[in-house]
């Protein structure tokens, strides 16, 4: 049972990574390219780029929310470490309970945010950006996907922790 769960979690991790890495590369490249293009146009050719703000915000939103999920894969996401550094060293029953409670609290918090975002999503179908007329819902899709991926990654971390891996 433990091996099957571990195998399944590795498949889920690989699937999340297959989605995250290309999106991060594309959004990061487009964001840097757009900002470089706008800066060069502004300072050398005295031409403004009216859509710079909208596109850079869109790319940055996707980059930061999926990037947070991707960083969780390596344990680089912020955690509650003030007490856990002292408790987990003992590796006793208290440390396992504490770490499990931390994972559950984070998962509940992210689930609440995901629920609120999905519930308010229909409001943003009718709002558009000023210049490019991009539906604002595309910004919130990044939130839904990024938070969902973070929930999955925290569930995976909790499962690995409980299994002792």
């Amino acid at each position: 049972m433990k091996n099957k769960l571990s195998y399944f979690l590795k498949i889920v991790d690989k699937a999340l990574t297959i989605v995250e890495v290309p999106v991060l590369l594309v959004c990061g490249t487009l964001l840097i390219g757009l900002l470089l293009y706008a800066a060069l146009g502004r300072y050398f050719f005295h031409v403004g780029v009216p859509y710079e703000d909208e596109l850079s915000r869109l790319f940055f939103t996707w980059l930061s929310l999926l990037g947070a999920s991707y960083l969780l894969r390596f344990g680089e996401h912020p955690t509650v470490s003030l007490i856990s550094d002292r408790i987990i060293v003992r590796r006793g029953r208290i440390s396992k309970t504490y770490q499990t409670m931390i994972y559950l609290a984070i998962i509940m918090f992210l689930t609440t945010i995901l629920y609120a975002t999905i519930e308010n999503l229909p409001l943003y179908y009718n709002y558009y950006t000023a210049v490019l007329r991009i539906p604002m819902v595309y910004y919130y899709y990044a939130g839904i996907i990024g938070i969902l991926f973070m929930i999955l990654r925290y569930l995976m971390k909790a499962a690995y922790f409980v299994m002792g891996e």
Side-chain angles (χ1 to χ4, degrees), residues 100-116:
T100 305
M101 295 297 284
I102 293 296
Y103 285 142
L104 288 175
I106 292 170
I107 290 167
M108 287 178 12
F109 175 74
L110 288 172
T111 304
T112 304
I113 298 223
L114 180 64
Y115 175 77

Side-chain angles (χ1 to χ4, degrees), residues 7-95:
Y7 179 72
F8 175 73
L9 292 176
K10 287 180 183 176
I11 290 173
V12 171
D13 179 54
K14 189 172 261 189
L16 292 177
T17 304
I18 286 172
V19 173
E20 290 166 343
V21 170
V23 172
L24 292 175
L25 288 174
V26 167
C27 285
T29 304
L30 289 175
L31 179 63
I32 291 171
L34 174 67
L35 294 176
L36 185 62
Y37 171 72
L40 292 176
R42 188 178 312 119
Y43 292 112
F44 291 119
F45 304 112
H46 305 291
V47 176
V49 181
Y51 49 84
E52 170 196 4
D53 178 48
E54 294 174 4
L55 283 180
S56 63
R57 193 175 335 140
L58 180 68
F59 296 146
F60 182 75
T61 303
W62 280 91
L63 187 67
S64 61
L65 289 168
L66 282 178
S69 171
Y70 186 68
L71 285 177
L72 261 174
R73 181 173 195 248
F74 304 106
E76 296 295 328
H77 202 263
T79 59
V80 180
S81 62
L82 178 67
I83 300 170
S84 66
D85 288 345
R86 291 174 177 83
I87 291 178
I88 292 178
V89 170
R90 297 183 203 162
R91 290 278 185 208
R93 187 179 220 169
I94 294 173
S95 68

Side-chain angles (χ1 to χ4, degrees), residues 122-140:
L123 298 173
Y124 298 103
Y125 281 109
N126 297 325
Y127 292 108
Y128 297 91
T129 59
V131 177
L132 291 176
R133 308 292 298 156
I134 298 171
M136 291 299 291
V137 75
Y138 292 136
Y139 293 87
Y140 289 91

